Structure formats: structure tokens, C-alpha cells
Amino acid sequence: GNSDRKHIQDKPCQLAAESEAPGQLFQTGELLRFHTGQVLLEDCFLRRLPLPVSLVLMIDFQRTPSPGELLLYIWLFTLVCEEVRQLFHDPDGFGFRKKSRMYIDDLWNILDVLSIILFCLGVAFRLTSKLFHEGKIILCIDFMVFCLRLMAIFTISRTLGPKIIIVKKMMMDMFFFMFLLSIWVVAYGVAKQGILIDNDSRLEWIVRGAIYEPYLIIFGNFPQNIDNAELDLNLCSVNGTDPLKPKCPLLKDNQIPVLSEWLTIIMLCVYLLFANILLLNLLIAIFNFTFQEVQDNTDRIWKFQRYELIKEYHSHPAAPPPFIILSHVWLFIRTMVLRRPPIKYKEFKNELPQMEEEELLSWEALMKDRYLLSAQQKQ
């Protein structure tokens, strides 16, 4: 009925993921092979882009943009045009509001928008004499975001595709785990800084002693200012006047540090016990659960990813950047000048004839029964 039809139209990915005959849902094997080749072709162009970008940032970043840098600007401009096309391309008639919400809900699109914003901001800064170095810093950060975006190309791989899902889920697990870890880091760092250092007014060194150093302790960087045997007064500033050195611990009249060794060492042992042993092992257990959860559904997740990627590239111009600008020019001329309606493709169907719909509903009921039977057998 209408509810079944709506279920089919709203969740085509689920049908593709459960399908035992992907050729029926993707219509033909030629479509699958074509878009797979298209993804690999764009991969060849995009994965080689970080190399010239890195060369420009490290070797050829001058006050006046070099020809190689200008070529990179043109290259990335074509990527901006493609993102704009994706935002406004609405073959399913969702409307701009829903389409934009669907666009932002995708993590890869968020990275695209972030990289574009950072790139525009970095270029604007580097073209000014006062903010030249700040512009280079922003472009270097943008390069990191752009490299992270390249991970999306591996979703077509049956082996690496599910691993990307694992990384995304682990990042979410680690994000919430950092709230627990930050409590211990700040608690120990502030107490240690207050006991050892007397009235240091330099904000950068306060943050370093109260947050940065306790965080590095988790990775084995043992502090040197909590024990008389490790303390070197030549590496610190007695009055805190040297901006390149931390302030020395509180000293006695004979210039011997007043260190509460028994207290600071006990605090360090308790901190390592909870942060380095308890919490980190908890994080490893969470990661193991996430990995096992995704690993048990590797094939199904890969089919989801493959469907989404092929559907995206089905509406994607065939040419890779920077040659994709030619497709954009032709699309603009056809739509705005010649006033031709957009081409509608029929490989992906939103509505099915009655006979095909009945067959699909029967197939879906069969797959449901198989799933319930396999779940009962596992129990």
C-alpha cells in the first residue's frame, strides 16, 4: 500500500544493503562499473593534489603568488563550483531547505565546507602584507582538513570502507571520553601547579603547567619539577621574568626548592593509576566494542556505502577536477541560456510499477523472515 511505498522510497539504502541481487537495484552491472571507474579516476586526480599543495606550502610560498600556486587556486575553485552544484542539484524535488539540511548532515560535506571556508580565509590573509604568515598557517590547517576529506574515496573498497565507519564511531566515542579524562587532567594539573609554583601570572605558562604537562604525562612524559633529583634550576626562571622559561618552584632562603615531594609524588601516582591505567583501558574496551560491532556487519555496511557513493557519482559530472569546470560551464549554458529542462535519469527509481512493487514487497518480506530466523538461531 501507500505506507509500504513510502517505506521503499525513504530507505533505498536499506534495500541495497540487504540485497542479494545488486544488479536488480543498480539496474545494470555497467552502471556500477562505470561509476567505480569514475570514482577511481577522480581519486587519481585528488590524491595527487596534496603533493603540489604541500610543495607550494613548504617550498614555493612567496609574497607574490607563483604560477604553481595560481594553478592550485584554479584547481580548488573548480571544487568549490562542484560543491555549489551539489547543494543546488535537486533531482528528487526535496526543496532547497530539505536539500541543504541533507547536505549538511553528511560528514564529508561538512569537511568540504570547512576546507573551502579555511581556504578562502587563508588566501584573503596571505594576499595582505600584515597577515601573510597568518594566511599561511590557515592554509596549512586547511591542507590537513583536505587530506582528511580524501578518506571518503576509500568507501568504495570492500576492505577499507567499513574501517572508515569504525574510525568515525571511535572518534565519537573518544569525544565523550575526553570529558572524563579532562576532569582528571585539570584536577591534577591545577593542584600540582598551585603546590609547586608561587603566583605565576604568565597565562601561557599557567596553561602549560596545569593542562599541557599533565596531559603529556599520560603518554609517558614524566615531569621534572616535582622531584629534587630531577630538578635543574638552569632550565627555569627564579622570578618568572624569562618568557622562554617556566618559573622555578618555590625556593627557600638557601635557594633550595621547597618541594612537597611526598605529596606531589603521591598525587602523581594516583593520577597515573586512574588516568593512565583505568581510563585508557576503558577507552580501549570501548574501541574494541565498537570495532566488533561494525566488523560483524562489514558486508552490509559496505553495501550501504557503495549505494550512497554510486548514487552520488551518478549525478556527478564525468570529468574530474579541474576539467570539471567545462561540465559546469555547459550546465550553466544549458540551464540559464538555452532554458532546457534538466535531464532525468531512470536508473534509480523512486516509484515502481505495480508488478515490480509487489515483487519487491514479497522479496522484502522474505528477507525479513530470513533475518528473524537467523536471529533466533543465534540466540
Side-chain angles (χ1 to χ4, degrees), residues 81-94:
C81 295
E82 174 57 22
E83 292 303 315
V84 174
R85 186 203 64 82
Q86 290 183 20
L87 180 60
F88 287 93
H89 182 66
D90 188 16
D92 299 322
F94 291 123

Side-chain angles (χ1 to χ4, degrees), residues 189-355:
V190 172
K192 185 264 298 182
Q193 186 77 2
I195 292 174
L196 297 181
I197 308 300
D198 184 34
N199 298 330
D200 191 356
S201 59
R202 299 173 298 174
L203 179 61
E204 62 275 14
W205 286 105
I206 293 176
V207 174
R208 186 183 182 94
I211 299 177
Y212 179 64
E213 289 181 357
Y215 179 73
L216 291 182
I217 291 175
I218 300 176
F219 303 99
N221 189 4
F222 189 80
Q224 298 180 352
N225 59 348
I226 67 171
D227 189 356
N228 279 330
E230 299 289 338
L231 182 62
D232 186 358
L233 296 179
N234 295 323
L235 299 178
C236 60
S237 175
V238 177
N239 298 322
T241 56
D242 191 345
L244 301 179
K245 294 181 180 180
K247 188 175 181 179
C248 292
L250 189 63
L251 301 176
K252 298 180 181 179
D253 295 336
N254 55 359
Q255 299 299 312
I256 297 178
V258 183
L259 292 178
S260 303
E261 288 191 14
W262 61 273
L263 180 59
T264 54
I265 292 178
I266 291 176
M267 288 173 52
L268 177 62
C269 293
V270 173
Y271 171 69
L272 290 176
L273 178 65
F274 281 90
N276 207 18
I277 298 178
L278 179 63
L279 292 182
L280 287 187
N281 280 278
L282 174 62
L283 180 62
I284 294 173
I286 294 174
F287 283 171
N288 182 63
F289 175 79
T290 301
F291 178 84
Q292 193 63 40
E293 183 182 25
V294 177
Q295 192 70 17
D296 292 341
N297 300 279
T298 297
D299 188 66
R300 182 179 301 178
I301 291 173
W302 174 71
K303 289 178 180 178
F304 270 92
Q305 293 177 324
R306 182 182 64 172
Y307 177 86
E308 289 293 343
L309 191 65
I310 292 177
K311 187 177 180 182
E312 175 186 351
Y313 275 83
H314 180 66
S315 61
H316 196 287
F323 307 107
I324 197 173
I325 192 64
L326 302 177
S327 300
H328 294 154
V329 172
W330 166 243
L331 181 63
F332 178 81
I333 294 175
R334 188 185 66 190
T335 305
M336 304 303 295
V337 179
L338 301 179
R339 300 291 181 178
R340 293 181 182 177
I343 300 176
K344 294 184 178 180
Y345 300 95
K346 299 182 180 180
E347 284 81 357
F348 294 93
K349 297 180 179 180
N350 290 327
E351 296 183 2
L352 298 176
Q354 183 177 359
M355 183 177 297

Side-chain angles (χ1 to χ4, degrees), residues 71-182:
L71 179 61
L72 292 178
Y73 292 167
I74 297 174
W75 195 318
L76 292 175
F77 174 75
T78 61
L79 297 179
V80 174
C81 295
E82 174 57 22
E83 292 303 315
V84 174
R85 186 203 64 82
Q86 290 183 20
L87 180 60
F88 287 93
H89 182 66
D90 188 16
D92 299 322
F94 291 123
F96 179 75
R97 178 176 297 180
K98 184 176 181 180
K99 178 67 177 179
S100 59
R101 186 164 55 249
M102 293 170 58
Y103 179 86
I104 295 299
D105 287 341
D106 190 351
L107 174 62
W108 305 119
N109 290 332
I110 294 177
L111 291 179
D112 286 332
V113 174
L114 179 61
S115 62
I116 290 171
I117 293 176
L118 289 176
F119 173 73
C120 296
L121 188 63
V123 171
F125 279 15
R126 68 95 60 222
L127 293 178
T128 61
S129 58
K130 295 182 179 180
L131 300 175
F132 175 78
H133 295 289
E134 288 78 1
K136 184 177 181 180
I137 294 173
I138 295 176
L139 289 176
C140 291
I141 297 174
D142 181 56
F143 174 77
M144 296 175 59
V145 177
F146 184 76
C147 289
L148 292 177
R149 174 63 177 85
L150 291 181
M151 288 194 304
I153 209 69
F154 297 118
T155 55
I156 199 172
S157 171
R158 194 178 195 129
T159 303
L160 296 178
K163 300 302 185 292
I164 296 177
I165 299 295
I166 293 176
V167 172
K168 291 167 63 176
K169 288 182 174 293
M170 286 184 175
M171 289 177 61
M172 293 300 300
D173 294 337
M174 187 170 58
F175 175 77
F176 293 106
F177 172 81
M178 290 303 295
F179 287 101
L180 292 175
L181 184 62
S182 62

